[in-house]
Amino acid sequence: MQKPTAIVIGAGIGGITTAARLAKNGYEVTVLEKESTPGGRCNQILREGHRFDIGPTLFLMPEIWEETFAALGEKMSDHLALRRIDPTYKVHFDDGLQLELTSNIGDMQTQLEKVDKTAFTGFLNYLAEGSKHYKLSLEKFVGRNFYNIFEYFSPGNLPLLFKLKALRKHYANTGRFFRDERLKAAFTFQNMYLGLSPYDAPATYSLLQYTELAEGVWYPMGGMYAAIEALVKIAERLGVRFLYNAPVRKIGVEGSRVADVHLQDGRRFSADIFVGNADLPYIYKELLPANAESKKLENKLYTCSTIMFYWGVDKEYPQIAHHNVFLGGGYKASFDQIFIDHTLPEVPSFYVHAPARTDPAAAPNGQETLYVLVPVGHLDARAQQDWEALVNRARETVFTRLARELGAADLREHIKFEIAYWPPVWKKRFNLEKGAAFGLSHNFWQVGYLRPQNRHRVYRNLYFAGASTHPGTGLPIVLLSAKLTTERILKEAGTISVQNLNYASSHG
Ligand SMILES: Cc1cc2nc3c(=O)[nH]c(=O)nc-3n(C[C@H](O)[C@H](O)[C@H](O)COP(=O)(O)OP(=O)(O)OC[C@H]3O[C@@H](n4cnc5c(N)ncnc54)[C@H](O)[C@@H]3O)c2cc1C
């Protein structure tokens, strides 16, 4: 019997793992990727013996990764050497306070009680709430498909919206556990990984702090790209064909179906089903025929963007930990400047990654590979965005604080080369709408059934997998997207495998 065929547009982690899952379930799959290598935002830069992860640096929720490997017939530990990073990060406040977030409860107690006598009890209660949010949302919202609005707003689910505090703002809710403004910041800034302001994010996202401290922040030796290489190898073994330097220019439709995709070089590919892994709003706007939906998508809320510096440094700075967060003053004002004014905050916060602390092969001997992420507003034609000036100001902020707080006063002189990314680069290189580094936002109105669904409403053989569809952004959540999209494809094709049914039944 002839195998059903699938074309996947994009070899980000969502495209790779959807392709592999489809191949495992009997599809003949071709992945079309515009870049010369796979990985998308989880790609890497190699230069002069320095290895930089481009985007993700935190390997979170390992059990979701395990499930992906298992669904492909593999064991994660045969492919990835994971190291737990603990303390997870060093957080530096602008008034000089430093906190090392750690899973060592005794250390947390000592540190928190120095700030506020009641803070440790608040911390334990906060983690307990985060644990509840994590388990409930994974089981009931994030880890399943919603095929219609009634399934989402079902009488069974409505009480869960309250249990998960989906209508309460994260920052305000943190006030129930901590009095000190710095602690409220220390336990909400992680919302930035979803590109969200804690003043807008649902309180549900306390699940992030829980997963980091309870399940751990991990690092695959070889960098995050080691995970991409492993998954591509498995996909190829399952028969997936990857075509690189193959940018899709247009999706051709006939009636209520996609017929083929056209590459920029004129080649055309047809298949039974198509999966868009490139950013969903970009697919609607640039690849599909003109449609009203793309305008609606443009008006939705987007995550923030980032200014990135990748620095090859010819000196070691052992005082820089693996993960470091520097919070600027004026916490609320800085989020307003990012999410409302769409600019760089007056006092920017930033994150520094020094992978050679854990993985010496990330830099030449005696040298340093530094990755700096400065959150900034996404592209907005109405905002005054002089990117050159903003990038320069971001760089100066980083130099000043690393000199003042870590004694790295000579860092500037030891930078051999700099590669910088900022919103127009994110947009051009990865086709991210508005240069929003994490895709569509995740407020109440843009999650679950209310998020753009993983199948097109009109073209019924066009599916989506990736950060801007259900369930959302972040590597493990995109792995879930690949799982849910594959389940939907198999269900709708009437070919759902025993393996998938088993998974569904064992997880309610
Ligand atoms: C700076 C930064 C830091 C992050 N940190 C973390 C972290 O620490 N931990 C974490 O879990 N997550 C993190 N994330 C989020 C995570 O990187 C993303 O959620 C995830 O990589 C998105 O994967 P994806 O497959 O949806 O999309 P992408 O990675 O964007 O993949 C889409 C692919 O489609 C390709 N494409 C686009 N247009 C076309 C076209 N026309 N034709 C063919 N191909 C096309 C692109 O080149 C790309 O390869 C971070 C993201 C960023 C940007």
Side-chain angles (χ1 to χ4, degrees), residues 333-347:
S334 72
F335 283 108
D336 287 349
Q337 284 154 11
I338 294 172
F339 289 94
I340 298 172
D341 305 338
H342 299 141
T343 186
L344 179 70
E346 239 164 81
V347 191

Side-chain angles (χ1 to χ4, degrees), residues 45-172:
I45 297 170
L46 299 175
R47 183 157 157 190
E48 297 175 31
H50 297 266
R51 189 188 63 227
F52 305 87
D53 288 310
I54 290 183
T57 57
L58 303 158
F59 188 103
L60 301 172
M61 306 180 186
E63 78 283 7
I64 297 181
W65 291 83
E66 298 262 17
E67 190 281 327
T68 294
F69 280 90
L72 302 176
E74 304 281 334
K75 240 172 99 183
M76 183 165 75
S77 55
D78 291 340
H79 295 273
L80 296 180
L82 293 182
R83 299 277 181 279
R84 188 162 180 168
I85 310 296
D86 198 320
T88 53
Y89 341 82
K90 230 180 185 172
V91 187
H92 300 252
F93 297 86
D94 68 334
D95 64 357
L97 174 71
Q98 290 186 18
L99 278 183
E100 283 191 346
L101 300 189
T102 166
S103 58
N104 182 321
I105 290 292
D107 279 0
M108 281 307 291
Q109 179 168 15
T110 312
Q111 296 185 75
L112 291 172
E113 287 183 347
K114 271 191 203 149
V115 180
D116 175 351
K117 275 282 165 237
T118 65
F120 182 62
T121 313
F123 169 72
L124 294 179
N125 290 333
Y126 187 66
L127 283 192
E129 182 172 287
S131 152
K132 190 177 82 185
H133 287 174
Y134 178 61
K135 287 171 187 145
L136 260 182
S137 49
L138 205 57
E139 188 189 339
K140 304 284 185 191
F141 285 104
V142 176
R144 60 162 292 188
N145 278 314
F146 295 99
Y147 292 97
N148 58 58
I149 189 100
F150 305 108
E151 282 185 8
Y152 188 58
F153 286 117
S154 69
N157 270 353
L158 281 179
L160 289 172
L161 295 180
F162 295 96
K163 274 195 192 153
L164 288 170
K165 299 198 172 168
L167 298 164
R168 218 179 136 81
K169 303 295 185 207
H170 193 182
Y171 189 83

